[in-house]
Amino acid sequence: MNIVEALHNEEVKLQRQLTAVKAAVAALNGGSKTAASPRHATSPNGTSGKRTMSAAVRARISRAATARWAKIGAEKAKKAK
């Protein structure tokens, strides 16, 4: 493993721990500000760790939801008769 990569990984780990400690201190102080959880903290390069879905996955989920609602609607229509 590259030494720079290992140091970067250590930095990320320490930043997560620092965020957790800050959150614990804020909770103990009864502070109104809530700290972000370590999993949702921004990375050192400024980008968020938020995941995005591809267009294909969004379309698949949309089709599945439409089919679910169509099935529910058909069942309601059948019961109404």
Side-chain angles (χ1 to χ4, degrees), residues 20-76:
V21 169
K22 285 181 179 180
V25 168
L28 290 173
N29 286 334
S32 60
K33 281 178 34 178
T34 57
S37 67
R39 292 178 182 251
H40 297 291
T42 57
S43 67
N45 62 4
T47 60
S48 68
K50 187 175 179 181
R51 296 178 181 180
T52 57
M53 281 191 275
S54 68
V57 171
R58 281 195 307 270
R60 188 175 71 195
I61 291 172
S62 176
R63 283 192 305 269
T66 304
R68 264 193 313 276
W69 283 108
K71 182 179 176 183
I72 291 170
E75 288 176 2
K76 283 185 180 180

Side-chain angles (χ1 to χ4, degrees), residues 1-35:
M1 182 191 287
N2 185 356
I3 187 102
V4 175
E5 185 179 333
L7 287 171
H8 181 268
N9 291 340
E10 185 68 21
E11 178 187 18
V12 170
K13 184 176 85 170
L14 289 171
Q15 284 180 343
R16 286 184 185 146
Q17 289 175 347
L18 179 61
T19 303
V21 169
K22 285 181 179 180
V25 168
L28 290 173
N29 286 334
S32 60
K33 281 178 34 178
T34 57

